[in-house]
Amino acid sequence: MPLFRLAVITTIRQNMWILALLMMLLLPTILPYFTPHATASSLLAPARAQAAWETSWVLLLVWLLYQSCHLSHVNSKSTLSLYFQSRGTSSIKQLYEIWLSCCVFLFPLCLVPAIYCIAFTTPGDPVEAKLWIALNIQYSLLFFITGSSLSILAIALSSRFGTTIGYLITLGLALYGLHAVNLLDNMVILRDVAIVDWIYNISPQLHLANLTERIILKHGPLTTGTFALVASYLIGFKLFATATAFLTFTTKQNG
């Protein structure tokens, strides 16, 4: 897979991954000390866990999505796509290889915070420790499904509309699904407006992948049934994003 290797090498040589890794390791260690941990030492572990996962979300939205857009746009604008196409790499396979190269860097965004939380913030009680480990594993899986869905959308949109537009559309969708949908949820609860209900129902419920509140409040993992429903919904969104990407991705040179 030559395009996959080229995309991975390009990302590595840009060295941004080093800063991302340092942020994932240092911020969860440093930021919790700005909380009143001296008077409430029990706050330190949840604050570290929160910082670990929130750092990964920021890196996903600010760095990895933009990198996905950049790799895709360069591939089409520089006519690399036409070269690989002449070598027998179809447009769908090019989409897949660029997406796979982004997943190489998405895996650490999922694994590092989970490993950090399990290594440094696991409760001492054996029962609570098992629940804590299960919660972080669930979080890691849901994070990956959501991140990979947004990445493939970013790749497809930027191939057709350019890096900036592709990134802004994907970022806007991500922020809407992660945060703005909760505002709609409150509106649905407070008043019965048909149009608001309809918009809410078709909105991407990406906030389901964000288990930070359960991390902070130590609510434990989702039940098996609830986790299966959430994972199924996010996989459905991933299938929709993939289908949209197949229809949108292009190997034609952008202006």
Side-chain angles (χ1 to χ4, degrees), residues 146 176-178 181-182 184-185 199-210 230 233-234 237:
T146 304
Y176 176 75
L178 289 169
V181 169
N182 289 325
L184 281 179
D185 187 24
I199 293 174
Y200 177 77
N201 288 330
I202 66 170
S203 296
Q205 309 290 324
L206 302 183
H207 62 91
L208 295 174
N210 191 341
V230 171
Y233 174 84
L234 293 174
F237 175 76

Side-chain angles (χ1 to χ4, degrees), residues 10 14 65-75 154 158 163:
T10 299
Q14 289 175 345
L65 288 186
Y66 183 83
Q67 184 65 12
S68 301
C69 293
H70 175 71
L71 290 172
S72 177
H73 183 56
V74 168
N75 179 61
S158 59
T163 302

Side-chain angles (χ1 to χ4, degrees), residues 26-41:
L26 294 180
L27 290 183
T29 304
I30 297 172
L31 291 181
Y33 287 103
F34 290 94
T35 64
H37 65 281
T39 56
S41 58

Side-chain angles (χ1 to χ4, degrees), residues 11-245:
T11 303
I12 289 175
R13 289 188 175 180
Q14 289 175 345
N15 293 329
M16 184 61 192
W17 66 273
I18 299 176
L19 177 60
L21 181 60
L22 289 175
M23 288 176 64
M24 285 192 290
L25 294 175
L26 294 180
L27 290 183
T29 304
I30 297 172
L31 291 181
Y33 287 103
F34 290 94
T35 64
H37 65 281
T39 56
S41 58
S42 60
L43 293 176
L44 199 57
R48 283 178 174 169
Q50 179 185 8
W53 281 109
E54 292 297 337
T55 299
S56 277
W57 279 112
V58 170
L59 289 172
L60 169 65
L61 298 178
V62 175
W63 170 55
L64 191 59
L65 288 186
Y66 183 83
Q67 184 65 12
S68 301
C69 293
H70 175 71
L71 290 172
S72 177
H73 183 56
V74 168
N75 179 61
S76 59
K77 186 176 181 180
S78 65
T79 68
L80 275 173
S81 59
L82 300 179
Y83 166 75
F84 286 117
Q85 210 162 22
S86 69
R87 297 286 300 272
T89 306
S90 66
S91 59
I92 296 301
K93 190 174 181 182
Q94 289 184 38
L95 169 65
Y96 169 74
E97 290 191 24
I98 296 173
W99 172 78
L100 197 61
S101 73
C102 295
C103 287
V104 169
F105 300 93
L106 177 61
F107 277 117
L109 293 183
C110 306
L111 295 178
V112 171
I115 293 172
Y116 183 94
C117 290
I118 292 171
F120 298 107
T121 66
T122 299
D125 181 83
V127 176
E128 290 186 4
K130 290 182 179 179
L131 296 175
W132 185 256
I133 293 171
L135 175 57
N136 278 279
I137 292 174
Q138 288 182 346
Y139 203 163
S140 185
L141 292 172
L142 297 180
F143 186 99
F144 178 80
I145 296 171
T146 304
S148 61
S149 303
L150 294 171
S151 178
I152 200 168
L153 268 180
I155 292 167
L157 291 172
S158 59
S159 72
R160 185 169 294 275
F161 303 113
T163 302
T164 302
I165 295 177
Y167 174 69
L168 290 178
I169 293 175
T170 311
L171 179 63
L173 177 67
L175 292 176
Y176 176 75
L178 289 169
H179 301 290
V181 169
N182 289 325
L183 299 178
L184 281 179
D185 187 24
N186 293 332
M187 293 177 64
V188 169
I189 294 173
L190 293 175
R191 59 183 67 182
D192 186 16
V193 181
I195 186 64
V196 175
D197 292 346
W198 181 79
I199 293 174
Y200 177 77
N201 288 330
I202 66 170
S203 296
Q205 309 290 324
L206 302 183
H207 62 91
L208 295 174
N210 191 341
L211 303 183
T212 303
E213 185 175 349
R214 301 186 72 88
I215 288 279
I216 298 171
L217 301 178
K218 293 185 177 181
H219 283 168
L222 299 171
T223 62
T224 302
T226 302
F227 177 74
L229 286 174
V230 171
S232 297
Y233 174 84
L234 293 174
I235 290 172
F237 175 76
K238 179 176 174 55
L239 294 175
F240 171 79
T242 302
T244 303

